[in-house]
Amino acid sequence: IWDGGLGVDGGFIAEPTRPQIPAPVQPATPVEPEDSPSALETLLNPVWKFARVLLGSAVFGVFASLLVLFLPVQTRRVGETLAAQPVTAGGVGLLSILAFVVAMVALGLFSILIITLLLTIPLFLALGVLFSAASALGWVGLGTEIGLRVGSAFGREAPLPLAAGLGTFVLNLLANSVGLIPIIGWILPAGLSLLTLGAVMMTRFGTRSLTAQVTSPPGEG
């Protein structure tokens, strides 16, 4: 007798089960291998980095020679201050960096109001240009000092623009080459930047001398 269920050979199944059909297996998505640098690229990468450092140093050397032509006394004052008071210059450079960061953050917070942008944007630009000029003058001042001392070591007194160009080239090449070393390479360039920036601030962009006597450029009385 059938009573709402499913009879099978005189038996009774209250809830018949459906046959289990296995789901089709999705093929795995092939994983593309990551692009790994070839052996040639691995070998040439440091070479290209050093080539960029070499080119940048040469350009900076030419810039140093031109700058010394227009600001010979100022660059000498910065260089002599670095040689005479390196520790003080480093401390002043660190304080200058902190003051610059605080000033930029304060201007950024002050720029929340749209009206104040008319005032803060020129100040942002002025501070950026001032900081860049101080960094460049300090770097050239140190490079000039190096160039003059190297010339003196060989018993030759090179013209100031030539000494500035060669000294700045060597300084920039050495600092940036060391900067290519991972993790610790930044220490030397950062330390030299603090020294040079501090000397510029101490001499007020080379407008006053902190040493007993400022060496006059060759050819000047």
Side-chain angles (χ1 to χ4, degrees):
I1 300 173
W2 181 80
D3 187 17
L6 179 61
V8 179
D9 294 335
F12 177 78
I13 302 177
E15 295 181 357
T17 58
R18 297 180 180 179
Q20 299 292 329
I21 302 176
V25 179
Q26 296 291 336
T29 304
V31 179
E32 297 182 359
E34 297 182 357
D35 294 335
S36 57
S38 62
L40 181 60
E41 291 177 345
T42 304
L43 178 64
L44 291 180
N45 191 35
V47 177
W48 289 122
K49 288 182 178 180
F50 181 76
R52 289 195 295 268
V53 169
L54 186 65
L55 179 60
S57 301
V59 172
F60 214 127
V62 174
F63 168 77
S65 297
L66 295 176
L67 182 64
V68 168
L69 287 175
F70 294 97
L71 302 172
V73 177
Q74 288 81 355
T75 51
R76 291 298 293 117
R77 284 172 176 166
V78 172
E80 290 189 345
T81 300
L82 278 168
Q85 305 180 42
V87 177
T88 305
V92 173
L94 180 59
L95 292 177
S96 301
I97 291 287
L98 294 177
F100 175 76
V101 172
V102 171
M104 297 298 283
V105 171
L107 286 176
L109 295 176
F110 190 64
S111 302
I112 296 177
L113 300 177
I114 298 179
I115 299 177
T116 58
L117 287 176
L118 299 176
L119 176 64
T120 55
I121 289 179
L123 289 177
F124 269 120
L125 296 176
L127 283 176
V129 171
L130 188 66
F131 185 81
S132 300
S135 301
L137 178 60
W139 205 251
V140 173
L142 179 57
T144 303
E145 189 70 19
I146 292 174
L148 290 174
R149 296 199 175 210
V150 170
S152 299
F154 286 97
R156 296 179 178 274
E157 185 176 349
L160 193 63
L162 179 59
L166 291 177
T168 304
F169 169 77
V170 172
L171 171 64
N172 205 71
L173 182 62
L174 175 62
N176 287 281
S177 296
V178 173
L180 295 177
I181 301 175
I183 301 176
I184 62 173
W186 62 272
I187 296 177
L188 178 62
L192 292 176
S193 297
L194 289 179
L195 292 175
T196 55
L197 180 62
V200 172
M201 295 294 106
M202 290 171 65
T203 59
R204 297 177 184 175
F205 281 79
T207 57
R208 68 170 184 169
S209 175
L210 299 181
T211 57
Q213 181 179 1
V214 177
T215 305
S216 300
E220 293 190 8

